Amino acid sequence: MDDDEMVGLCRRARLSEPDIAAELLILISEGAESALQYEAAEGLGDRFRRAAEATVTRLSRR
């Protein structure tokens, strides 16, 4: 998914700052991919999910 698609997804999810949310989610994803090169995948998916959920929760409109 490219940057524009992620921004569109965040807009459709009605996040309060879709550009920032998209950037954070992309950075979290890239970090997870990089981490796979240096550590075992065990627990990585759960850490990614928690970070992504926290980002979405924080930027959800109330």
Side-chain angles (χ1 to χ4, degrees):
M1 180 176 287
D2 68 23
D3 293 3
D4 292 334
E5 290 173 319
M6 183 64 81
V7 171
L9 178 66
C10 290
R11 281 196 181 110
R12 288 189 301 279
R14 299 180 48 84
L15 298 181
S16 62
E17 298 181 62
D19 294 341
I20 292 172
E23 187 64 30
L24 288 170
L25 292 169
I26 289 167
L27 289 170
I28 292 166
S29 174
E30 289 175 353
E33 287 181 32
S34 293
L36 278 175
Q37 296 177 16
Y38 300 103
E39 60 184 80
E42 185 176 325
L44 185 58
D46 188 51
R47 290 181 6 228
F48 169 79
R49 181 189 50 76
R50 288 193 327 255
E53 284 177 353
T55 299
V56 170
T57 299
R58 174 64 179 91
L59 294 173
S60 291
R61 293 184 180 165
R62 297 181 182 132

